[in-house]
Amino acid sequence: SAVISQKPSRDICQRGTSLTIQCQVDSQVTMMFWYRQQPGQSLTLIATANQGSEATYESGFVIDKFPISRPNLTFSTLTVSNMSPEDSSIYLCSVYDDTHRGEAFFGQGTRLTVV
Amino acid sequence: EDQVTQSPEALRLQEGESSSLNCSYTVSGLRGLFWYRQDPGKGPEFLFTLYSAGEEKEKERLKATLTKKESFLHITAPKPEDSATYLCAAPMLSGYALNFGKGTSLLVTP
């Protein structure tokens, strides 16, 4: 199975600042995704990170707020921009593993607190 | 609109007391029904994917089953270490990203 390393694991940030979260996978994967998990809630898809092109965002999420990069098939970043306390959540990177069809794996998450 | 609904929201069991968690779905052209375990402060851990009605998969004390409208996660003789939130999900129409239910928080007491 794919092993996903996500950094940082947690951070406390001032409102109005930005945080970039990194996701590194130990093998090449076609599909990478970013999710948000608000306190006490389930996971919500933010966007699909496309290699070599702009990310595909879900309704309610915009590129200016959550810019995503995916320079290759093993790495992606999510930036949370101009943060407010409402952005306090766990942010999760996920991959659909082509070599294990039907299995989707997650990083350990980044717990973000905005003060 | 595709939906994944889990019940109950929370479940408390005594050690050894078997039970089932439910996941009902209204998804057109189901391309898999996923089960995950999530411990506090961690990302979801993959458990099973089921593809067709009648399919069953097992892992230790867990067995997942699938019908045309719902899936069950059966927990046999649970132990305290089985305490976690169990999430059910189905792929979105747009691709392989997942649409998650709200989860069942399971607590197993000694």
Side-chain angles (χ1 to χ4, degrees):
Chain A
S1 63
V3 177
I4 303 170
S5 300
Q6 201 174 321
K7 294 192 297 186
S9 58
R10 59 176 61 225
D11 207 341
I12 301 173
C13 300
Q14 296 289 327
R15 67 175 68 201
T17 63
S18 298
L19 176 71
T20 296
I21 302 167
Q22 297 180 2
C23 177
Q24 178 74 55
V25 189
D26 68 344
S27 58
Q28 292 187 343
V29 291
T30 305
M31 286 162 278
M32 293 181 73
F33 310 98
W34 288 97
Y35 291 82
R36 180 175 73 180
Q37 188 172 29
Q38 294 179 299
Q41 303 296 315
S42 192
L43 284 75
T44 300
L45 180 68
I46 297 172
T48 300
N50 300 310
Q51 193 264 330
S53 65
E54 195 170 281
T56 305
Y57 290 85
E58 296 299 302
S59 176
F61 298 96
V62 295
I63 187 171
D64 290 347
K65 177 67 176 177
F66 297 101
I68 289 170
S69 77
R70 188 165 178 205
N72 56 53
L73 293 177
T74 64
F75 186 78
S76 178
T77 66
L78 168 74
T79 299
V80 186
S81 302
N82 189 25
M83 289 183 285
S84 67
E86 292 70 37
D87 295 319
S88 297
S89 291
I90 298 173
Y91 292 87
L92 293 147
C93 171
S94 174
V95 303
Y96 182 84
D97 191 341
D98 303 71
T99 61
H100 292 80
R101 185 175 174 274
E103 296 186 9
F105 300 100
F106 286 80
Q108 75 273 27
T110 296
R111 181 180 293 272
L112 171 62
T113 302
V114 184
V115 297
Chain B
E1 181 181 332
D2 291 345
Q3 285 193 329
V4 177
T5 304
Q6 292 186 247
S7 62
E9 288 186 12
L11 181 62
R12 183 181 180 122
L13 300 173
Q14 289 277 341
E15 184 173 2
E17 179 187 1
S18 301
S19 187
S20 296
L21 314 183
N22 177 265
C23 172
S24 62
Y25 60 90
T26 55
V27 176
S28 305
L30 185 68
R31 294 178 291 115
L33 191 292
F34 292 67
W35 281 100
Y36 289 86
R37 168 189 172 131
Q38 186 175 28
D39 293 296
K42 295 189 176 182
E45 174 190 349
F46 174 81
L47 293 175
F48 307 108
T49 308
L50 303 169
Y51 286 100
S52 56
E55 187 176 359
E56 299 183 352
K57 289 190 176 177
E58 291 188 61
K59 181 179 181 179
E60 297 181 357
R61 294 177 293 281
L62 301 176
K63 182 169 79 172
T65 62
L66 183 67
T67 72
K68 287 186 177 180
K69 293 185 177 182
E70 56 192 350
S71 178
F72 294 93
L73 185 66
H74 307 278
I75 303 176
T76 302
K79 298 181 178 181
E81 52 262 42
D82 295 320
S83 298
T85 296
Y86 290 86
L87 298 167
C88 169
M92 297 178 175
L93 276 178
S94 56
Y96 289 92
L98 296 175
N99 183 23
F100 281 84
K102 293 185 177 181
T104 294
S105 177
L106 173 66
L107 175 64
V108 182
T109 57

